[in-house]
Every structure is written in C-alpha cells, then in structure tokens.
Amino acid sequence: MSLIIKQKNIKPLIAPLFLLASGFMFGQKAASDTAKVDTKDIEEVVVIGYGKVKKSDLTGSVASVSAKDLAATPAMNALQALQGRAAGLNIVTAGGAPGAGANVTIRGGASITQGTSPLYIVDGFQLDNALNIINPNDIESIDVLKGASAIAIYGARGSNGIIVIKTKSGKKGRTTINYNSFMMFDMLSKKIDMISNTEQFVKYQYEFAQLQNKMTAFSSVYDNGLPLDTPGYYPGAFNRIANQYASASALDWQDRMLGGTGLTQNQNVNISTGNEKTQAFISYNYNKQDGLLNNFSETRNSLRANINSELYKGVRVDFSSMFNSNSTNGGGAYSGMKKILLQPITGGTLFTQDQLLNSQTFPDFSSLDSGFDTENPFVETNASTSNNRSRTFLANAGLEFDFLKNFTFRVAGQYNWNNSKSTAFSDQNSRAFLTDPVNTGINGSIGNSESYRYQITNTLTYNKTFAEKHKLNVLAGYEVVYSESENNSMRLTKFPFPNFGLDDIANAFVQDKSTGRSSNSLLSYFGRVNYTYDDRYLLTGTIRRDGSSKFGPDNKWGVFPSVAAAWRVSQEGFWQNSKIVDFINDLKLRFEYGITGNNDIGNNLFVTNLSLTDYPINNTPGNPAYVPSTNLGNPALRWEELKATNVGMDLALFNNRIKLTSEWYNNNVSGMLLQSVLPVSTGYSRQYQNIGSLRNQGLEFTLNTVNFKSEKFRWSTDFNISFNKSKVMSLENGQTNRTFSVGGNRTGSVTYYATVGEQLGDMYGYVYQGVYTTEDFIQNANGTISLKPGVVKPATGTPRPGDMKFAADNEAGDQFTRKMQKIGNGTPDFIGGISNNFSYKGFDMAVFMKFSVGNDIYNATKHSLSPYALNQNVPEEFGNYYRLIDPNTGLITNNLARLKELNPDENSRLWSLGTTNSQNITYPSSYYVEDGSYLRIAQVTLGYSFAKEFLEHVKLTNARIYFTVNNLATITGYSGYDPEVSAASGVAVTPGFDSSTYPRSRSYVLGVNLTF
C-alpha cells in the first residue's frame, strides 16, 4: 500500500509551513519572559577553516548542525542524517539501494561539467566522501561554510563550499560507555501501476502483434500455436482470449521482487574517559543493511580512536585514527526497474506461471521479438552478482604549544590510505551467457584501486586583547597535500565452469585489461586576521596562495583573498539603553566578499598524453608504438574562479526564543573548465579550456523557535528554506549553448541545454500534443483517409488516427520538423526542511519534513516502459491506448466512423501500437516531463527516557528507547517511484533525470540508547 499522495500543485501546501515555523508563542508567558537574554546559544562555538570562533564573533555565512540534531536521526550515514537540515545545502540521494551515493551541492555548485561536490574537512584534514564514511555517531558537529570569507581560506578547492566535520573526543571525568542500537525494517513504499489484468494484457499483446506483423509469435505464446490460416482465427480471436484469460492469474513482479522486508541492524558502542591532563575516546560501529532486492546488501565496520593530552603546561598533543571497511553487494544484475516492470504477467500457453518466474525465459521471448530486452530479474539476480569492497585507514596527529604568552604554534599531519576492489560474475543462467555463449560465455571482471594522501599543516596563531575592547586574532599557515593513486582492471570471458567463480581465472580468457596511475600535489600559504572592537564591530580578512600540480608551469599559482565585516547593532549603547532590547535581543549585520577556486579536474590535462598501440610493419603486427591521445593538452589551463558576495543578518527575539538568519548571495564563476571541440584540421578532437562563466544568486532563511516552554512540556521548531537561481553568463566564443544528452532510445533519453542567459537544468525535446484523432482526417470515397488542412503535419510520412502528435516547430506553424524545444527544468525554485520537536516529562517526539518545489523530472522510467516489444508489460495508463483493431474482425480498420466507436474518448487516449509510434516513442517528449515538487514527512520519532530513579536502580546514567518511521508519506504529483532523484553525482547540468532508479523504501525502526 502506498502512502504517496498525488497532488498536482504542491506550492499552496508549502505556505502553512511558514506559519508552523514562525514560532508564534502561546499565552502571555513568551511575551513576558524577555527580561533576561539567554546567552547560551550566542556563545556557541563554530568550527571554521584552521580554527574556531564564537558564533557571536562570526562574520561569514555558516550553517551548523549539532550532534544532538544528528543523533535524532537513526541513519545509515551522515548524508541521510543531514538532508534538509541546513539552508543552502542540497542532498539528493541516487536511489534506495544499499550503499547508494548522493549528489551534494552548496548554493547550486560552482561548475557546469566539473565536480560540484563540496570539500570535506574532518578534524582539520581533507577526507573525500566524508559524509558517507564517517560514522554519524562519532560526529560532534557539522558546519557548512558557504560565504566567501568562510571558504576563501581553502583557496583553489573552496568554490563548491566546505563541509567541516568535528568528531567527538573524550571528556574529563568518569568513564562513560554509550551503547546505541537500532533495527530497521524496510518495505516498498510505492508500486508503479502496471497492467495487472491478464485478459487486458493479452488483448494488448494481440493488438501490438497485429499492428507489428508478429501474429505468428503471438499465437505461439498465447494461442497454443494455432495456425493463422485456421478458419475464423481473426474474427474469433477476442472471444478466445476472453474465454481463456478472463479468470487467469497474473504474476505481480513488483511484489515477487520487492515485496519482502529488508532488515538493517546497527550496533554502536563508544567509550569516553579522561582526567585533567588526558582524554580518550574510542568507538566501534557495525551496520548491515539488506535491500529489498535479492543479493543487495551493504555491510560497514568502523573503528575510531581519539586521544588528547596536555604533556606540559601549554604543550598539547592529539592523535586520532579511523579504520572503515565497507562491502556492497548487488548491481551486477540490476540495470534498472524496467527489467522488473516490463516482465510479462502471464506465460500464456507457452509457460506456466512457475516457469515464467523461475526460468530464464529471455531467449524464448527475444527470439520472437528482437526488441524484447528484459531478462528474467528473478533468475538474473542470482546468475549475475557483484561486490564492491573498500577500506579506508587514516591517522591524524598534532602537536601545539603556547609561547610568548599570546602565540600558539601547531604542526599537524595526516596519512590517508584507501583500497577498493570490485568484482562481477555471470554464470550460465545470465543474459550475457545466453546472448553469446561462444565468445562471452560464463564471464566476470575484476578491478582494483589503491590510493593514499598525506597532508602536513603548520599554523601560527597570535591572540590578544588590547585595552579590553580590541581583540586581535592572527593566523598564518603553510600546508602541503600530496595524493597518489593507481588502478587496474580486467574483463574475463569463457570460464569453463561456474563452480569456482572468479577463483578460476587461470582457465578464463582475458578480453581486455587496463591500468593507470596518477598523482597530484598542492602547496599553500595562507593567513587570516580577525579583529573585534568592543564586541560591536568585527572584521575578517583572509588570503591564500595555492600552487597546484594539475596546471601548467605558468599557471600553477593563484591568490585567493577575502574580506568580511559585521556590525552587532544590538551591542550599541543607543540599543542597550532603549526598550527595544527587551524585544530584539540580538541583531547582527554581515557582509563578505572573496575569491576562491575549483581545481576538481583530472591530472595532467595541461599536456598531451601518449598511449601505447600496435604499429604493423610489413603487415606484421606486434610492434609497440606510442601515439598522441585525441585530447590536446592545454598548458594555459587554470582553475575555475569564484567571486562571491554575501550579505547576512542574524536576529534574536523574545529572550532568544525566536532566531532568524537570512542571507543573500551572488556567486560569479569565470574561467569554467569545459571540453572544447577542436577543428578536425588540428588532428585532435577536444581540449580542456577555461571558457564561459556562470552565476548563482539566492536567498536563504533559517528560523529557530521555542514555541512553548514550561516545566514539563517544550515545543521547538527548526525551519530552513533556500532559493537559488543559476544563470549561464557566457560559453565558448560564439557559442550560445552546449548540450548534454542523458539516457538512450530504449532506456529513455532527454537532452539538457546550458544556454547563455538561462539557468542550468533546461530539458529539451519535443512538445507532445496528444494523438491524431478522427476529427483530424477526411474519409475519402476509396476508403482511404487524408489529413485535414491546418492540422499539424508529422516530420515524415502520412499520419493515421492514434499516431503521436507533436507541436509544430517550423516558421509556418503547420509542421513538426524535430526541432528541439524547452520542455522542462530540473532545478527547484526552492528547497528546505522543517523539524518540530516535542518533549513532555520523559517522552520526546520529533517530526521532520523536507520539501522541494518548482523542479521538473524527466520520467525516463516511464519512457523506457513505453510500448515497443511484444510480450512486455506496460504501465496501466498505457492500457488506454488508441484502438486500431476491430474486435469483430480481429483486423485493422481505417474506417473513421468505426475508429470513433472503438475510441469514444479519443482525446484522452494515448498513442496506438502501430509501427510509426515505435519510432516516435524514442523521441524525448514533454509527455514524460512531470512536476517533481514534493513535501515529504521524512521522519517521525517517538522516544521515552527512563526516570532517574529507575536508572539508579539498574546502574545506568541514561536509557532511552524509541520508534521511528522513515519516509512516512510524500505529497507529490510525480507518478514515478520517488520524486527525489539525481541523474549524475556531482554534476549540476543534468538534474531531475529518473532512469529506473532503485525504489526508496519506507522503514520502521526500533532503537535503544544506553549510557553506563
């Protein structure tokens, strides 16, 4: 049963959220409880680049998420826990499969074709994909650095924003042991409505076969192979179908493949201990998730240890290490939901239902129609398996000491090692074997990669207060980052036996192999000055000079400065001496401007690489030779440059019971790294160049309210909303747009345009206008039909009723010529999240919702399910196809009057199953573009913390049990499995493309938190 609620226009539903989040107080207590300003939150510490500051002294744009917020979410990783909880941060998961990745962007990203993923800094060191690696139970806080002043300190790596993660450390005092555990039960949250009536399905197959001239194949599957020349075969066809299939059972493939329950178990234990000199923290996490599909699972093990110690007065040392092991099964047999959805629901007279489910029927069905390309997924998930294993080890160490009273020197280093291995194997029941048993046969592949990175950072800090009002903090630093990686892979065919899998490599054939190695380094000098006068006027200036090996000798170095200022208006004397302070407790205005960069490109693009080939001499092969690659190196290549402006306001009202942060930003990217097509005369095809510019402008609001507060009951709300608008300012000289095609003819495709003057995410295709109906034609005396004057003509040929009709795109406005037009945009107008938290005595309840409004989705899943092959199923809506077969004769009719009788609701019909539409359905069409706006009740948690008296009796410090429902309900107009989709991770140009995404589940969680 689905709890997805169809809503055509979701925007009116968002408005009540503002009322709910606005923090209206109940009764007079809130208004009168303002005599004292609670400074607890004002003194909150925020982690920034190479340091930390009090939130009250912050000049840059930073969004913070605490350990408490993360702990409220029983999540597989920090990505899931962070979704919707920080303004300007957009996290879109790639699907519901175990181990699925996500597309993470801050303020729209700062590139078109290069990476838009932010830089992750964990305890002062870079860690790629940190949110998916770090155990969320180990995180103390997450700070999202968005403004120019905050990100410019990271120079050439900062243009996509920074996510700074601080992990937990040991605490002074008694030793504590925390144990957190939960069990999660996943179930399919929604099913796609497919044709499920057997008689309807077989009649659909009959019409398809008749129009595609495949009646012999139809008869062999559904009609006992009855010869087509049997007297009365065609006139009696529909009666035979009704008699045989009216009460026949239908196979529900979604239920068989995804109808079970996926089980997840999470076990986490950590120990914290310490005295005045030394504190230690150690944690272990085990997580095992079984997917809804067979052989899909993920297993994680994570071990972390932190030690902080004061060796002598003013001399401190810290050490931390982490080991993470991850194993993901699945994906080898799964190439999209279409493989499940397109399966025939009956085997007719050729297969029993048991045979249809448990045997590999692909060879039989594909021999009857070459367009049939959906192997049996039930068999394939066992016949083709895959595994991806990764291991990460890192060690951080730091030594700092104070000297000359106001100086602190710190030297810190990290070593980060990663190893991964991917394997795949397909036995004799797999599609790969069945389609090519001679050349491919039983086959497999192996890929290995290994990388390491070391980072050394030296910083010197000067901190002093002059005359009690002048606070000065100066930071100077030097940093080296070096990384190296190598990989190899090979594809193997013709295994003699499947029994030993990939252990039998010695007896297989190596079809192809590859190897690669790369390295890059970054050398940096940086500095920052923070000045505060009387807690009223704040000024920050930063500068960084980076040298990157990714660029040519003349362009290695770049300088990235920034400046920021803030005015705490509420600290002025005229404010403190007025009654307004009783209402507005804190008001701070901020401004920042800076330059940062993006070097997220491949290595050695500034040179033309050589590749090894074979050069025959006297027609004799075996002579190695090197030839230039097709990509021409560019020694003038440099990083993309971002010039960012941010204006912000922080406001606190009613004794800090209402807090509002608002931001306006303008980010301009120039020198974008794009592949340029070169003239054929150069001998090369492409070259990376710094061409084009992009702008992102937007507004962000974060609202935190304490709606009700008494001795026993508390209700608070956290709300954030972000508006971002991108605009392509320029491209390559003389170029007005660039195109990016996604998908394929049979898997559903659409073309994205990056057009000068327009925002990113524009989808282009053909405008669907329904089908040609009998009203569009004239019945001629000889029985033929002709198109009426003024009716849009198709691109080629002569249409007939039931053919797809596309909007005219020529100057005369009377013909469709396959000129692409804009049909949608995958970028949302705004995104956000809202969390309501309640507590009453020992009970607590949290309701978290997130939303996205204004974005379109290209439903390539539906596109791939369009009628194109015999014996395949289609969505229920395609069952309303335009009928061309007269059931009385069993043959095609061209009589307009009869067609009108067969299709009384012509204008609501979808296209017919004729051969013309077999080509038309390969076109990208506005029919598949849907509103992707949604409001999701993402999580509801109810918990209970046991009373102090009980805890003392059982020797516990804390004990809490809770029940959570994830993905409870979604209000959306989208007809696919889920409106939260991501076409490509880290790429901003192709949002909102849904191609057979693994469905997201609804999960029920039981958990316990114990502290000893």
Side-chain angles (χ1 to χ4, degrees):
M1 177 180 177
S2 171
L3 282 180
I4 288 190
I5 304 166
K6 298 298 286 292
Q7 175 71 28
K8 291 298 183 183
N9 186 1
I10 195 173
K11 292 184 180 181
L13 297 175
I14 300 299
L17 293 177
F18 291 94
L19 295 177
L20 185 59
S22 61
F24 288 120
M25 308 304 175
F26 293 90
Q28 298 299 315
K29 182 173 182 178
S32 61
D33 192 17
T34 60
K36 294 184 179 180
V37 177
D38 184 1
T39 60
K40 180 180 178 181
D41 291 326
I42 296 178
E43 297 305 314
E44 179 183 345
V45 173
V46 176
V47 180
I48 58 175
Y50 307 99
K52 54 189 178 182
V53 298
K54 292 189 300 183
K55 193 170 185 179
S56 58
D57 292 340
L58 192 64
T59 57
S61 177
V62 179
S64 299
V65 180
S66 68
K68 181 180 178 181
D69 296 328
L70 295 172
T73 305
M76 304 298 296
N77 53 55
L79 276 170
Q80 297 177 2
L82 197 56
Q83 277 188 303
R85 297 184 184 272
L89 178 65
N90 191 19
I91 300 176
V92 181
T93 53
N103 190 21
V104 182
T105 55
I106 296 175
R107 293 183 168 178
S111 187
I112 289 183
T113 59
Q114 300 311 300
T116 57
S117 297
L119 174 69
Y120 297 98
I121 302 295
V122 180
D123 294 333
F125 299 97
Q126 179 178 343
L127 179 62
D128 298 335
N129 198 27
L131 290 176
N132 206 37
I133 295 177
I134 298 292
N135 171 18
N137 295 281
D138 290 345
I139 296 175
E140 182 70 29
S141 65
I142 297 178
D143 294 293
V144 182
L145 313 187
K146 302 176 291 183
S149 176
I151 64 178
I153 195 67
Y154 287 99
R157 299 172 295 164
S159 65
N160 286 314
I162 319 290
I163 295 181
V164 179
I165 300 172
K166 183 180 183 299
T167 61
K168 293 178 180 178
S169 299
K171 305 297 183 183
K172 300 176 184 178
R174 62 184 295 271
T175 299
T176 60
I177 301 174
N178 292 286
Y179 173 70
N180 303 315
S181 175
F182 65 79
M183 298 286 288
M184 182 183 297
F185 304 90
D186 291 330
M187 299 178 185
L188 186 64
S189 62
K190 179 186 178 181
K191 293 172 68 174
I192 300 294
D193 293 329
M194 306 294 291
I195 290 180
S196 57
N197 180 279
T198 307
E199 181 183 354
Q200 179 189 9
F201 173 79
V202 177
K203 287 181 177 179
Y204 162 85
Q205 298 299 328
Y206 179 91
E207 178 133 359
F208 186 93
Q210 181 69 271
L211 294 173
Q212 303 282 339
N213 195 28
K214 297 176 180 178
M215 282 303 300
T216 300
F218 169 86
S219 179
S220 66
V221 177
Y222 303 104
D223 214 358
N224 281 305
L226 188 66
L228 303 183
D229 57 0
T230 301
Y233 180 88
Y234 293 103
F238 277 67
N239 286 332
R240 289 197 306 275
I241 292 172
N243 292 334
Q244 186 165 356
Y245 295 103
S247 58
S249 61
L251 187 59
D252 187 337
W253 284 93
Q254 292 180 87
D255 185 64
R256 292 300 183 101
M257 297 295 298
L258 299 163
T261 300
L263 176 64
T264 297
Q265 57 171 314
N266 182 286
Q267 310 290 335
N268 189 87
V269 60
N270 66 63
I271 302 172
S272 174
T273 188
N275 53 35
E276 291 297 322
K277 292 290 186 180
T278 303
Q279 301 86 44
F281 177 87
I282 185 170
S283 74
Y284 171 72
N285 177 256
Y286 170 80
N287 192 299
K288 173 67 182 298
Q289 179 184 15
D290 292 321
L292 296 178
L293 277 175
N294 188 33
N295 288 334
F296 272 70
S297 65
E298 181 185 29
T299 304
R300 292 171 177 262
N301 284 275
S302 179
L303 179 66
R304 170 177 286 275
N306 293 348
I307 299 175
N308 300 279
S309 181
E310 185 177 22
L311 300 179
Y312 307 99
K313 184 177 181 181
V315 180
R316 296 170 295 278
V317 65
D318 56 87
F319 175 82
S320 66
S321 63
M322 182 196 76
F323 177 77
N324 180 283
S325 175
N326 182 68
S327 178
T328 303
N329 294 310
Y334 178 78
S335 55
M337 286 303 300
K338 62 170 282 189
K339 300 296 184 180
I340 297 174
L341 299 174
L342 287 175
Q343 291 300 312
I345 63 174
T346 177
T349 57
L350 185 62
F351 297 109
T352 65
Q353 295 296 75
D354 183 70
Q355 290 173 325
L356 185 65
L357 176 66
N358 295 296
S359 61
Q360 185 56 282
T361 55
F362 170 72
D364 301 272
F365 286 132
S366 61
S367 67
L368 297 172
D369 185 347
S370 60
F372 189 95
D373 61 354
T374 54
E375 63 277 4
N376 185 324
F378 194 78
V379 175
E380 191 73 14
T381 52
N382 293 303
S384 295
T385 58
S386 69
N387 175 263
N388 291 286
R389 287 176 287 171
S390 64
R391 295 176 177 87
T392 299
F393 170 78
L394 61 85
N396 304 335
L399 172 67
E400 67 179 31
F401 57 90
D402 305 327
F403 65 99
L404 298 179
K405 191 176 181 179
N406 301 114
F407 288 89
T408 300
F409 178 77
R410 176 176 174 82
V411 57
Q414 181 192 72
Y415 179 81
N416 183 352
W417 173 83
N418 296 274
N419 174 267
S420 64
K421 181 178 182 179
S422 61
T423 60
F425 188 79
S426 297
D427 66 20
Q428 72 279 7
N429 292 314
S430 67
R431 173 175 175 165
F433 177 91
L434 295 171
T435 54
D436 190 359
V438 176
N439 297 315
T440 301
I442 301 170
N443 63 94
S445 64
I446 300 176
N448 291 282
S449 67
E450 184 175 9
S451 65
Y452 73 88
R453 176 194 291 122
Y454 68 77
Q455 177 179 334
I456 299 174
T457 304
N458 297 306
T459 58
L460 177 65
T461 305
Y462 174 77
N463 194 30
K464 185 174 177 59
T465 300
F466 300 91
E468 297 184 354
K469 290 188 176 183
H470 302 272
K471 296 178 182 178
L472 183 65
N473 180 278
V474 182
L475 169 77
Y478 165 83
E479 185 172 78
V480 176
V481 181
Y482 177 83
S483 61
E484 185 174 310
S485 65
E486 59 181 40
N487 62 79
N488 58 74
S489 64
M490 59 180 173
R491 177 166 171 74
L492 304 147
T493 59
K494 302 180 184 179
F495 282 84
F497 306 103
N499 307 59
F500 302 103
L502 291 173
D503 293 334
D504 198 21
I505 288 178
N507 294 314
F509 287 81
V510 178
Q511 183 177 14
D512 54 62
K513 56 185 177 181
S514 65
T515 184
R517 179 172 180 159
S518 65
S519 63
N520 68 82
S521 58
L522 188 73
L523 176 62
S524 308
Y525 305 91
F526 54 88
R528 179 175 59 220
V529 176
N530 288 323
Y531 170 73
T532 302
Y533 173 71
D534 198 25
D535 289 332
R536 289 182 288 165
Y537 310 114
L538 303 96
L539 183 67
T540 300
T542 69
I543 190 167
R544 182 169 179 128
R545 188 168 187 258
D546 280 330
S548 174
S549 65
K550 293 186 176 183
F551 305 108
D554 298 330
N555 293 281
K556 288 186 180 295
W557 291 94
V559 178
F560 306 97
S562 76
V563 63
W567 177 27
R568 292 190 66 191
V569 184
S570 56
Q571 292 298 106
E572 294 287 356
F574 69 84
W575 191 281
Q576 292 290 321
N577 296 326
S578 67
K579 291 186 177 181
I580 195 172
V581 73
D582 295 331
F583 172 65
I584 303 178
N585 315 129
D586 189 56
L587 173 62
K588 182 167 69 173
L589 305 178
R590 294 179 280 106
F591 171 82
E592 54 187 312
Y593 174 81
I595 300 174
T596 187
N598 182 12
N599 70 342
D600 190 9
I601 61 172
N603 298 321
N604 303 317
L605 294 177
F606 61 92
V607 296
T608 303
N609 292 322
L610 299 177
S611 58
L612 181 65
T613 187
D614 183 80
Y615 186 79
I617 298 177
N618 295 326
N619 294 323
T620 302
N623 304 286
Y626 286 93
V627 297
S629 68
T630 58
N631 293 328
L632 179 64
N634 182 3
L637 206 63
R638 57 180 174 80
W639 39 74
E640 298 175 337
E641 188 176 81
L642 169 70
K643 295 179 180 178
T645 304
N646 190 92
V647 178
M649 180 190 73
D650 302 317
L651 179 68
L653 309 172
F654 301 121
N655 196 22
N656 293 323
R657 292 185 64 161
I658 299 179
K659 294 182 179 180
L660 173 67
T661 296
S662 58
E663 311 270 0
W664 173 86
Y665 61 88
N666 182 44
N667 294 344
N668 289 285
V669 186
S670 60
M672 288 191 300
L673 291 159
L674 299 173
Q675 268 197 333
S676 177
V677 179
L678 299 179
V680 177
S681 59
T682 64
Y684 298 92
S685 60
R686 296 179 181 273
Q687 181 188 53
Y688 268 95
Q689 298 179 359
N690 291 101
I691 50 179
S693 56
L694 172 70
R695 184 185 72 193
N696 276 300
Q697 282 186 345
L699 292 169
E700 297 169 359
F701 300 94
T702 300
L703 184 65
N704 309 108
T705 66
V706 179
N707 307 317
F708 194 91
K709 184 179 180 181
S710 67
E711 185 178 346
K712 295 181 179 179
F713 179 70
R714 178 185 172 96
W715 170 28
S716 63
T717 300
D718 299 318
F719 174 80
N720 72 83
I721 188 168
S722 306
F723 303 80
N724 182 77
K725 187 78 169 181
S726 63
K727 185 177 182 179
V728 180
M729 306 303 292
S730 65
L731 291 168
E732 194 172 357
N733 291 337
Q735 192 178 53
T736 58
N737 60 65
R738 289 178 68 95
T739 60
F740 305 85
S741 296
V742 184
N745 284 346
R746 294 305 187 192
T747 57
S749 68
V750 69
T751 300
Y752 286 83
Y753 273 53
T755 306
V756 174
E758 302 294 334
Q759 67 175 332
L760 292 178
D762 281 344
M763 305 169 181
Y764 271 70
Y766 308 130
V767 179
Y768 176 74
Q769 291 189 325
V771 299
Y772 289 97
T773 68
T774 57
E775 300 299 324
D776 295 325
F777 297 89
I778 299 172
Q779 186 83 57
N780 300 316
N782 61 359
T784 62
I785 57 177
S786 301
L787 198 63
K788 289 181 179 178
V791 178
V792 176
K793 301 173 186 176
T796 58
T798 302
R800 65 187 303 173
D803 284 355
M804 298 175 74
K805 182 193 291 185
F806 296 100
D809 52 27
N810 63 337
E811 291 185 5
D814 62 353
Q815 186 170 7
F816 167 59
T817 65
R818 296 183 191 168
K819 179 182 178 181
M820 283 198 170
Q821 304 179 56
K822 181 178 176 179
I823 56 176
N825 185 281
T827 304
D829 294 333
F830 57 90
I831 59 172
I834 178 171
S835 177
N836 281 282
N837 302 284
F838 309 87
S839 63
Y840 176 72
K841 294 184 177 181
F843 292 93
D844 62 89
M845 182 177 181
V847 180
F848 174 64
M849 298 181 287
K850 60 181 180 178
F851 53 87
S852 176
V853 175
N855 55 297
D856 294 316
I857 297 175
Y858 191 84
N859 193 343
T861 305
K862 184 191 290 188
H863 194 164
S864 69
L865 301 178
S866 298
Y868 65 83
L870 185 66
N871 301 315
Q872 292 184 161
N873 200 8
V874 291
E876 182 67 39
E877 64 183 278
F878 286 134
N880 188 37
Y881 58 90
Y882 196 97
R883 270 64 171 176
L884 297 178
I885 303 298
D886 188 339
N888 295 331
T889 63
L891 300 172
I892 302 171
T893 178
N894 287 319
N895 184 278
L896 294 181
R898 181 57 176 155
L899 286 173
K900 192 171 183 63
E901 290 178 4
L902 295 174
N903 302 280
D905 50 350
E906 282 187 283
N907 291 316
S908 66
R909 297 264 173 177
L910 294 184
W911 50 90
S912 73
L913 307 180
T915 56
T916 299
N917 290 327
S918 296
Q919 177 62 36
N920 289 340
I921 61 175
T922 65
Y923 300 152
S925 164
S926 62
Y927 177 78
Y928 303 108
V929 177
E930 302 182 38
D931 182 8
S933 302
Y934 70 88
L935 170 62
R936 167 171 289 153
I937 304 176
Q939 189 174 78
V940 178
T941 296
L942 178 64
Y944 177 74
S945 297
F946 289 90
K948 182 179 180 180
E949 293 78 8
F950 173 80
L951 297 176
E952 292 175 347
H953 180 71
V954 295
K955 309 300 182 183
L956 288 174
T957 304
N958 178 68
R960 176 177 177 265
I961 57 174
Y962 63 89
F963 173 71
T964 297
V965 181
N966 293 319
N967 193 19
L968 177 61
T970 303
I971 302 173
T972 184
Y974 183 56
S975 65
Y977 275 113
D978 195 276
E980 183 186 329
V981 291
S982 175
S985 178
V987 179
V989 76
T990 56
F993 183 77
D994 182 6
S995 181
S996 292
T997 304
Y998 191 109
R1000 199 177 312 277
S1001 60
R1002 177 174 300 110
S1003 57
Y1004 303 89
V1005 187
L1006 289 171
V1008 60
N1009 308 131
L1010 301 175
T1011 302
F1012 299 89

